[in-house]
Amino acid sequence: MNCREFLARYTDFRDGLISAPREARLFTRHLASCAACRRYDAALRNGVGALQGTIVHEPGERFRHRLERRIAAERVRARRPYLPVRPALAGALLVAAALILVVWEGARRHVPEPQALSLPPVPFPKPVVQAGLPFVSFQDPRTGIATGNPYPYGTAFVEPASASR
């Protein structure tokens, strides 16, 4: 038997649940030959013995009576019907707030905001790439009429939409 097998079934051995005499002899022989498992056995037996020697404290009669009264009071409270006062109040306040907002919006004088003049639609703007910086911007073709392509390398010339032929 090796240490892993011993530790895997040690609790059965310590509690006397191993009934086969051959297996019990294997455990006793391993304990006799292995110092690490002897230390483990001694530590566990001391711990179990210390726990068995502790005094069990029982709660007093006064505590039991107080606990039973509290449990009975909680059972009575749990049987009472739930009165949905708070949700109803919250719903009423929500409706009142909505009505106030509707009245307030209706009472405000609506002044139309001035509309910004929109430019006529144009095709997709021409990309402008500046050498030296990793930055791309777009040139608005409505700003002026170009007579030629100022950036001939790898770009296409886009005529403004407002240019007439």
Side-chain angles (χ1 to χ4, degrees), residues 120-129 136-143 156-162:
V122 295
F124 189 75
K126 175 182 176 183
V128 178
V129 180
V136 175
S137 65
F138 292 94
Q139 174 184 352
D140 188 356
R142 295 170 289 193
T143 57
F157 177 67
V158 178
E159 286 191 43
S162 61

Short mmCIF file of all heavy atoms in Angstrom, two decimals, residues 120-129 136-143 156-162:
data_model
loop_
_atom_site.label_atom_id
_atom_site.label_comp_id
_atom_site.label_asym_id
_atom_site.label_seq_id
_atom_site.Cartn_x
_atom_site.Cartn_y
_atom_site.Cartn_z
N PRO A 120 -27.48 71.82 -50.76
CA PRO A 120 -28.02 70.77 -51.62
C PRO A 120 -27.22 69.49 -51.48
O PRO A 120 -26.04 69.52 -51.15
CB PRO A 120 -27.89 71.38 -53.02
CG PRO A 120 -26.84 72.41 -52.90
CD PRO A 120 -26.91 72.92 -51.50
N PRO A 121 -27.84 68.35 -51.73
CA PRO A 121 -27.11 67.09 -51.62
C PRO A 121 -26.02 66.98 -52.68
O PRO A 121 -26.17 67.47 -53.80
CB PRO A 121 -28.18 66.03 -51.83
CG PRO A 121 -29.30 66.74 -52.49
CD PRO A 121 -29.23 68.17 -52.10
N VAL A 122 -24.91 66.38 -52.29
CA VAL A 122 -23.77 66.20 -53.19
C VAL A 122 -23.30 64.77 -53.13
O VAL A 122 -23.60 64.06 -52.18
CB VAL A 122 -22.61 67.15 -52.80
CG1 VAL A 122 -23.00 68.59 -52.97
CG2 VAL A 122 -22.14 66.87 -51.40
N PRO A 123 -22.55 64.33 -54.13
CA PRO A 123 -21.99 62.99 -54.05
C PRO A 123 -20.95 62.91 -52.93
O PRO A 123 -20.57 63.91 -52.36
CB PRO A 123 -21.35 62.76 -55.42
CG PRO A 123 -21.33 64.07 -56.09
CD PRO A 123 -22.27 64.99 -55.40
N PHE A 124 -20.51 61.71 -52.68
CA PHE A 124 -19.54 61.49 -51.60
C PHE A 124 -18.35 62.42 -51.75
O PHE A 124 -17.82 62.58 -52.84
CB PHE A 124 -19.08 60.03 -51.64
CG PHE A 124 -18.27 59.63 -50.46
CD1 PHE A 124 -18.87 59.39 -49.24
CD2 PHE A 124 -16.89 59.51 -50.55
CE1 PHE A 124 -18.13 59.03 -48.14
CE2 PHE A 124 -16.15 59.15 -49.46
CZ PHE A 124 -16.77 58.90 -48.24
N PRO A 125 -17.92 63.09 -50.65
CA PRO A 125 -16.83 64.06 -50.76
C PRO A 125 -15.50 63.40 -51.10
O PRO A 125 -15.29 62.23 -50.87
CB PRO A 125 -16.78 64.71 -49.39
CG PRO A 125 -17.46 63.78 -48.49
CD PRO A 125 -18.44 63.00 -49.31
N LYS A 126 -14.62 64.23 -51.62
CA LYS A 126 -13.32 63.77 -52.05
C LYS A 126 -12.38 63.63 -50.86
O LYS A 126 -12.25 64.56 -50.07
CB LYS A 126 -12.75 64.79 -53.04
CG LYS A 126 -11.36 64.51 -53.50
CD LYS A 126 -10.90 65.60 -54.41
CE LYS A 126 -9.46 65.39 -54.79
NZ LYS A 126 -8.96 66.46 -55.60
N PRO A 127 -11.74 62.48 -50.67
CA PRO A 127 -10.79 62.36 -49.56
C PRO A 127 -9.53 63.14 -49.84
O PRO A 127 -9.04 63.19 -50.95
CB PRO A 127 -10.51 60.86 -49.49
CG PRO A 127 -10.86 60.34 -50.82
CD PRO A 127 -11.89 61.24 -51.41
N VAL A 128 -9.03 63.78 -48.80
CA VAL A 128 -7.79 64.54 -48.90
C VAL A 128 -6.84 63.96 -47.87
O VAL A 128 -7.13 63.98 -46.68
CB VAL A 128 -8.03 66.03 -48.63
CG1 VAL A 128 -6.73 66.79 -48.68
CG2 VAL A 128 -9.02 66.59 -49.62
N VAL A 129 -5.70 63.48 -48.31
CA VAL A 129 -4.73 62.88 -47.42
C VAL A 129 -3.51 63.78 -47.38
O VAL A 129 -2.98 64.18 -48.41
CB VAL A 129 -4.32 61.47 -47.90
CG1 VAL A 129 -3.31 60.86 -46.96
CG2 VAL A 129 -5.54 60.58 -48.03
N VAL A 136 -6.79 61.69 -42.25
CA VAL A 136 -7.58 61.79 -43.48
C VAL A 136 -8.73 62.74 -43.21
O VAL A 136 -9.42 62.62 -42.22
CB VAL A 136 -8.12 60.41 -43.90
CG1 VAL A 136 -9.03 60.53 -45.10
CG2 VAL A 136 -6.99 59.47 -44.18
N SER A 137 -8.92 63.71 -44.08
CA SER A 137 -10.08 64.58 -43.97
C SER A 137 -10.80 64.56 -45.30
O SER A 137 -10.31 64.02 -46.29
CB SER A 137 -9.66 66.00 -43.61
OG SER A 137 -8.90 66.56 -44.66
N PHE A 138 -11.97 65.16 -45.38
CA PHE A 138 -12.73 65.18 -46.61
C PHE A 138 -12.94 66.63 -47.05
O PHE A 138 -13.28 67.49 -46.24
CB PHE A 138 -14.08 64.48 -46.41
CG PHE A 138 -13.94 63.01 -46.19
CD1 PHE A 138 -13.88 62.49 -44.90
CD2 PHE A 138 -13.81 62.16 -47.25
CE1 PHE A 138 -13.73 61.14 -44.70
CE2 PHE A 138 -13.66 60.81 -47.06
CZ PHE A 138 -13.62 60.29 -45.79
N GLN A 139 -12.76 66.84 -48.33
CA GLN A 139 -12.93 68.17 -48.90
C GLN A 139 -14.36 68.29 -49.38
O GLN A 139 -14.86 67.42 -50.11
CB GLN A 139 -11.95 68.36 -50.07
CG GLN A 139 -12.14 69.65 -50.81
CD GLN A 139 -11.19 69.72 -52.01
OE1 GLN A 139 -10.32 68.87 -52.17
NE2 GLN A 139 -11.38 70.71 -52.84
N ASP A 140 -15.05 69.36 -48.99
CA ASP A 140 -16.41 69.59 -49.43
C ASP A 140 -16.37 70.09 -50.86
O ASP A 140 -15.78 71.13 -51.14
CB ASP A 140 -17.09 70.60 -48.52
CG ASP A 140 -18.57 70.74 -48.81
OD1 ASP A 140 -19.08 70.12 -49.76
OD2 ASP A 140 -19.22 71.49 -48.07
N PRO A 141 -16.97 69.36 -51.80
CA PRO A 141 -16.89 69.80 -53.20
C PRO A 141 -17.69 71.07 -53.46
O PRO A 141 -17.54 71.68 -54.50
CB PRO A 141 -17.45 68.61 -53.96
CG PRO A 141 -18.25 67.84 -52.99
CD PRO A 141 -17.64 68.10 -51.65
N ARG A 142 -18.53 71.50 -52.54
CA ARG A 142 -19.30 72.72 -52.76
C ARG A 142 -18.50 73.98 -52.48
O ARG A 142 -18.96 75.08 -52.74
CB ARG A 142 -20.54 72.70 -51.87
CG ARG A 142 -21.50 71.57 -52.22
CD ARG A 142 -22.55 71.44 -51.20
NE ARG A 142 -21.92 70.89 -49.99
CZ ARG A 142 -22.58 70.40 -48.96
NH1 ARG A 142 -23.88 70.41 -48.96
NH2 ARG A 142 -21.96 69.92 -47.93
N THR A 143 -17.31 73.84 -51.92
CA THR A 143 -16.54 75.02 -51.55
C THR A 143 -15.95 75.73 -52.75
O THR A 143 -15.66 76.91 -52.68
CB THR A 143 -15.39 74.65 -50.59
OG1 THR A 143 -14.58 73.67 -51.21
CG2 THR A 143 -15.96 74.12 -49.29
N ALA A 156 -8.79 59.95 -57.06
CA ALA A 156 -9.67 60.19 -58.21
C ALA A 156 -10.24 61.60 -58.09
O ALA A 156 -10.53 62.06 -56.97
CB ALA A 156 -10.78 59.17 -58.23
N PHE A 157 -10.43 62.24 -59.17
CA PHE A 157 -10.97 63.59 -59.18
C PHE A 157 -12.49 63.50 -59.17
O PHE A 157 -13.08 62.81 -59.99
CB PHE A 157 -10.48 64.36 -60.41
CG PHE A 157 -11.07 65.73 -60.49
CD1 PHE A 157 -10.75 66.69 -59.56
CD2 PHE A 157 -11.93 66.07 -61.53
CE1 PHE A 157 -11.29 67.96 -59.65
CE2 PHE A 157 -12.47 67.32 -61.62
CZ PHE A 157 -12.15 68.28 -60.68
N VAL A 158 -13.13 64.19 -58.25
CA VAL A 158 -14.58 64.22 -58.15
C VAL A 158 -15.02 65.63 -58.41
O VAL A 158 -14.60 66.56 -57.71
CB VAL A 158 -15.07 63.76 -56.75
CG1 VAL A 158 -16.56 63.85 -56.65
CG2 VAL A 158 -14.57 62.37 -56.46
N GLU A 159 -15.86 65.80 -59.40
CA GLU A 159 -16.36 67.15 -59.70
C GLU A 159 -17.47 67.49 -58.72
O GLU A 159 -18.25 66.62 -58.34
CB GLU A 159 -16.88 67.22 -61.13
CG GLU A 159 -15.80 67.22 -62.17
CD GLU A 159 -16.35 67.56 -63.52
OE1 GLU A 159 -17.18 68.49 -63.60
OE2 GLU A 159 -15.99 66.89 -64.47
N PRO A 160 -17.58 68.75 -58.33
CA PRO A 160 -18.68 69.16 -57.46
C PRO A 160 -20.03 68.97 -58.16
O PRO A 160 -20.12 69.06 -59.36
CB PRO A 160 -18.40 70.63 -57.18
CG PRO A 160 -16.99 70.85 -57.58
CD PRO A 160 -16.64 69.82 -58.60
N ALA A 161 -21.05 68.73 -57.36
CA ALA A 161 -22.37 68.52 -57.92
C ALA A 161 -22.93 69.80 -58.52
O ALA A 161 -23.76 69.78 -59.41
CB ALA A 161 -23.30 68.00 -56.85
N SER A 162 -22.51 70.97 -58.02
CA SER A 162 -23.04 72.22 -58.49
C SER A 162 -22.42 72.68 -59.81
O SER A 162 -22.87 73.65 -60.39
CB SER A 162 -22.86 73.30 -57.42
OG SER A 162 -21.49 73.43 -57.16
#
